Amino acid sequence: MLAPLPAPETSPRRAPRENRREAATFFILFLLGVLPYVNTLFNDFVYDDHFQIVQNPYVHSFRYLREIFTTTVWSFQGAQGVTNYFRPMMTLGYLLTYKIAGAIPFSFHLASVALNGLAVCLVYCLLRLFSGERVALIAAGLFALHPVHSESVAWIAAVTDLELTVFYLATSVLFLRLQDSEHFWRARSAMCATFALALLSKEQAMTLPVMAMIFEHFYRDDRTATTLREKLSRYGPLWAIAVLYFAIRTIILGGVARVVLRPNLSLYQTALSAVALIGKYLGKLIWPAQLTAFYVFHPSNHVTNPAVLAGLASVALSAALFGVLRKRARILSFGLLWIFATLGPVLNARWMPAAVFGERYLYLPSVAFCWLFGWGAVSLWSADVAAMFRPLTRAVPVLLAVIALLYGIRTVARNREWRSDEVLFRQVLEFQPDATLIRADLGGILFQRSDYIGAEREWLHALSTFPGNSYALDSLAVLRQRENRYAESIDYSSQALRITPVYTIMHIHLAETLTVMGRAEEAESQFRIAAALSPLSTQALNGYGKFLFEAGRTADARTEYERSAAVDATSEAYDRLGDIYLSGKESTRAEQAYRRAILVDPFDGHAHIGVGQVLESAGRPEDALREYKAGLQMDPSDPMAKAGLIRICGSTPGKSHSHSGVLNN
């Protein structure tokens, strides 16, 4: 039953003690949510983080606020970014973090860890209302330490589940307290605000009005004493906001789930796969072993499939448990509904991404699992049993301590698997060797560090498992171009583009190969296609600008680089614009462009040298000398900087000896 709220304190001496005790409880719970994830603060950007933060213009400027709230989460990628997902709170959070601290992984990880600590405190707040303080404390502690949460906290791109859960729990707490609030309208306004933020975090928030309605009619203590009007006054606003949200999404985005990512998956296969996924999710909650960032999806085709049978068994056992709890601990049966309701939206494989199953999707459902676990522990601990069984009940605290220790150790160890792309990819392939997308990504890491043999091995392995892996095909095209095997490169690019014709980077790579081959007209066509497919891709615009600049078409190159700089600030665009302005005798604009490049990348030696040239021509040798020295620190072999130093040192008294060390570096 819903525990009664504590009565107001009458003793002026006791109230401060209670307040301090409660503050200490929240502080300890927050620390419990933070400390297991301290080692994530030193992790790098991994996987989608590079696209969602480093390469996302929406995250770098407030001028894209309209796009953040009116387009899908991947819309900045143009035609390639067509998706179902609407995540304004995620992108807005990234934008604020970027503006405060820049593209530093530490600050983004810190935000995720803080959100996790807040979620732990809210779990305690909610479950204290349902089942009392002891159950809430155990459940919140388990929630803080459960290893299945590592993905949600350690992976920056999974912050959506943290945001969803924080706002979902806050809304739930406010909803439960409506009947006792002295300021009903103010509390209801706060409830509506947090629910709106939950909807803007993730679509699973749509389950909250359903859960509120079920609770109001079947679980709230005063359900028989309140009228339908009173019930509607509590949960009606949630439905109103949900309907408004759905209407806005339909108008702006065409619906909640208009993109079917697996059209070849039949409804029968989808239903069977959903049952199999239920079993897998419940299994990870109960026994969080062999956790990994990517699970290969294999559709279920027959009811006798082992995964389907396991799922059916899980559903049957859950139904039986629901029946028992409805009779003996009514409110706990609501916890089972919570698990299945919040999991429901991610069970339809037809609209899920490549990783149909994801540990991050358990973050919100696990609240109820921890609640059930905490209630079971307290019930066993306080059970009135025969003398022979009392040692078992007294061992409950020890058992809880052991579980907490094991969970904490596993969580800390799991966090380290997210410290870099290579570590993450290798860990995935250890458990999922047929994860061809991850294998192709690992090949990319090896290629970046010039291990071309290793990269080729991974890409060919990926293609042997899945010949339609366009990432591996495109990567092999780049490798063959580097090896001057242009015909093979063109062939690989053509294969990749037949599979994914809207992928911008593949058109860019093909254009670069055609450029090297001297097929300028075809190369320009590919650059134009890339820029049209993704108008906000600075990689496409800068690539096209470079092509035009090297072809001697300075005016056209200037146009592309200016378009790129307008989209997002990159040192490459500003460097080239500085060169173009300088060659056109536009010294002021050249200096501005170079200085903007330095703001983007303080270690941009080319920009420092460019500023030095402008200042030298303006008769400011001292300032020019400082910039040349900065440029040489980045690239000690740069001939322009060396020449500038020689010119200035040769004409400025007293400078001929003081910079000899720089020239000799």
Side-chain angles (χ1 to χ4, degrees):
M1 298 295 290
L2 181 63
L5 299 177
E9 290 289 347
T10 56
S11 169
R13 294 184 178 179
R14 188 181 176 188
R17 287 200 302 269
E18 289 297 316
N19 290 337
R20 286 196 295 271
R21 178 178 176 273
E22 187 169 45
T25 299
F26 281 114
F27 179 71
I28 291 170
L29 287 173
F30 184 81
L31 284 182
L32 199 59
V34 167
L35 291 178
Y37 293 97
V38 168
N39 62 337
T40 68
L41 299 178
F42 307 100
N43 290 354
D44 203 348
F45 291 128
V46 297
Y47 211 31
D48 286 350
D49 298 343
H50 301 289
F51 305 106
Q52 289 285 9
I53 298 172
V54 181
Q55 300 175 24
N56 186 353
Y58 293 175
V59 170
H60 304 157
S61 173
F62 284 109
R63 69 175 179 268
Y64 290 111
L65 277 175
R66 181 177 179 275
E67 285 77 8
I68 289 174
F69 285 94
T70 59
T71 63
T72 61
V73 69
W74 289 100
S75 62
F76 65 92
Q77 290 191 334
Q80 181 181 335
V82 176
T83 181
N84 294 318
Y85 305 123
F86 184 55
R87 307 282 190 269
M89 291 306 297
M90 179 190 79
T91 310
L92 180 62
Y94 288 163
L95 171 60
L96 295 175
T97 307
Y98 179 86
K99 285 299 182 182
I100 292 170
I104 302 173
F106 178 90
S107 57
F108 290 88
H109 285 298
L110 182 63
S112 292
V113 171
L115 281 172
N116 186 62
L118 180 57
V120 172
C121 294
L122 286 168
V123 168
Y124 170 73
C125 287
L126 177 64
L127 299 186
R128 184 174 57 174
L129 295 174
F130 279 135
S131 297
E133 188 170 10
R134 285 199 297 173
V135 171
L137 280 171
I138 294 173
L142 182 68
F143 183 87
L145 299 171
H146 203 301
V148 83
H149 294 162
S150 178
E151 176 172 303
S152 298
V153 186
W155 187 23
I156 298 170
V159 72
T160 52
D161 294 280
L162 303 178
E163 293 169 337
L164 166 69
T165 300
V166 165
F167 295 127
Y168 199 104
L169 293 174
T171 304
S172 300
V173 171
L174 291 166
F175 170 73
L176 292 177
R177 297 297 296 264
L178 279 179
Q179 67 182 27
D180 303 288
S181 175
E182 297 178 1
H183 306 284
F184 178 82
W185 291 101
R186 188 182 300 172
R188 191 162 71 168
S189 298
M191 178 188 74
C192 292
T194 55
F195 179 51
L197 293 174
L199 287 169
L200 294 175
S201 299
K202 207 168 186 181
E203 294 81 1
Q204 281 166 285
M206 291 284 283
T207 62
L208 187 48
V210 178
M211 297 301 292
M213 184 173 67
I214 292 173
F215 179 83
E216 196 67 46
H217 287 281
F218 298 101
Y219 289 95
R220 194 186 280 272
D221 286 344
D222 65 351
R223 61 188 179 280
T224 59
T226 53
T227 65
L228 177 61
R229 182 175 180 178
E230 289 174 311
K231 291 181 173 68
L232 284 172
S233 71
R234 291 197 282 243
Y235 67 75
L238 298 178
W239 278 104
I241 293 174
V243 170
L244 178 63
Y245 166 81
F246 185 83
I248 292 174
R249 280 201 60 165
T250 301
I251 294 170
I252 296 177
L253 304 177
V256 175
R258 65 185 180 86
V259 179
V260 178
L261 299 178
R262 290 180 178 79
N264 296 327
L265 197 66
S266 70
L267 294 178
Y268 179 68
Q269 289 176 308
T270 303
L272 290 180
S273 298
V275 173
L277 287 170
I278 289 173
K280 194 169 184 177
Y281 278 120
L282 294 180
K284 291 295 182 184
L285 275 177
I286 297 169
W287 190 256
Q290 292 191 336
L291 302 177
T292 189
F294 189 93
Y295 294 82
V296 177
F297 173 65
H298 299 289
S300 299
N301 299 311
H302 199 277
V303 72
T304 59
N305 184 290
V308 176
L309 292 175
L312 289 172
S314 300
V315 172
L317 289 173
S318 298
L321 180 60
F322 180 84
V324 171
L325 292 174
R326 281 283 289 176
K327 293 180 180 179
R328 300 187 179 182
R330 183 186 185 88
I331 192 63
L332 267 295
S333 64
F334 184 74
L336 278 176
L337 293 180
W338 178 296
I339 292 174
F340 281 88
T342 53
L343 267 181
V346 299
L347 297 178
N348 187 339
R350 285 168 61 85
W351 64 37
M352 296 299 290
V356 173
F357 179 93
E359 294 161 18
R360 60 193 178 278
Y361 303 139
L362 282 169
Y363 193 79
L364 178 58
S366 69
V367 172
F369 170 78
C370 296
W371 176 18
L372 293 170
F373 185 96
W375 176 84
V378 170
S379 298
L380 182 60
W381 191 359
S382 57
D384 185 12
V385 297
M388 62 181 297
F389 294 111
R390 283 174 190 165
L392 179 62
T393 63
R394 291 169 182 168
V396 169
V398 176
L399 180 62
L400 288 174
V402 171
I403 292 174
L405 179 62
L406 293 175
Y407 272 20
I409 292 172
R410 182 68 186 99
T411 296
V412 171
R414 175 84 173 106
N415 295 340
R416 290 197 291 267
E417 295 169 2
W418 292 89
R419 63 182 179 270
S420 69
D421 280 326
E422 182 172 359
V423 172
L424 182 66
F425 297 157
R426 290 192 183 279
Q427 190 274 340
V428 170
L429 292 172
E430 180 181 347
F431 290 106
Q432 303 279 305
D434 57 340
T436 62
L437 291 177
I438 301 300
R439 193 170 292 281
D441 288 332
L442 176 59
I445 298 296
L446 299 176
F447 182 83
Q448 289 173 12
R449 68 177 192 219
S450 301
D451 182 2
Y452 303 132
I453 295 176
E456 182 176 18
R457 181 182 62 249
E458 297 299 335
W459 293 330
L460 292 175
H461 188 169
L463 289 174
S464 69
T465 304
F466 178 50
N469 189 324
S470 60
Y471 294 101
L473 290 167
D474 180 63
S475 299
L476 284 167
V478 175
L479 177 62
R480 295 295 180 252
Q481 179 206 122
R482 184 178 292 271
E483 297 171 338
N484 299 328
R485 296 160 64 177
Y486 302 126
E488 293 179 53
S489 178
I490 295 290
D491 182 58
Y492 277 126
S493 287
S494 299
Q495 292 182 58
L497 286 170
R498 279 196 295 270
I499 298 168
T500 49
V502 297
Y503 278 34
T504 300
I505 189 63
M506 297 179 184
H507 287 282
I508 295 173
H509 289 157
L510 176 57
E512 290 170 348
T513 302
L514 292 169
T515 300
V516 176
M517 296 174 68
R519 295 161 61 174
E521 187 174 339
E522 296 173 79
E524 183 170 4
S525 175
Q526 291 299 319
F527 277 124
R528 286 183 177 276
I529 292 172
L533 286 172
S534 186
L536 299 183
S537 170
T538 56
Q539 189 173 7
L541 295 171
N542 290 342
Y544 189 25
K546 179 182 178 182
F547 167 82
L548 294 169
F549 185 79
E550 292 178 349
R553 296 164 57 182
T554 306
D556 293 335
R558 173 174 174 166
T559 299
E560 296 304 317
Y561 282 124
E562 286 176 344
R563 285 177 58 195
S564 176
V567 166
D568 197 8
T570 65
S571 58
E572 180 181 356
Y574 284 126
D575 277 344
R576 296 290 80 78
L577 283 172
D579 295 341
I580 291 170
Y581 295 148
L582 191 60
S583 66
K585 308 301 182 184
E586 299 179 67
S587 299
T588 301
R589 298 189 69 178
E591 183 178 359
Q592 291 173 347
Y594 287 133
R595 291 196 181 280
R596 287 177 181 173
I598 294 169
L599 284 175
V600 176
D601 179 9
F603 301 100
D604 185 348
H606 181 88
H608 280 289
I609 294 166
V611 173
Q613 290 178 289
V614 173
L615 295 175
E616 184 182 1
S617 64
R620 297 165 56 186
E622 293 285 346
D623 295 332
L625 188 63
R626 184 173 58 252
E627 296 298 331
Y628 285 138
K629 288 172 61 179
L632 280 174
Q633 288 179 345
M634 316 305 166
D635 182 7
S637 64
D638 188 277
M640 295 183 67
K642 285 186 173 183
L645 277 175
I646 291 172
R647 286 194 303 273
I648 294 173
C649 290
S651 60
T652 304
K655 303 296 182 185
S656 57
H657 301 291
S658 59
H659 305 292
S660 58
V662 176
L663 286 170
N664 292 329
N665 282 341

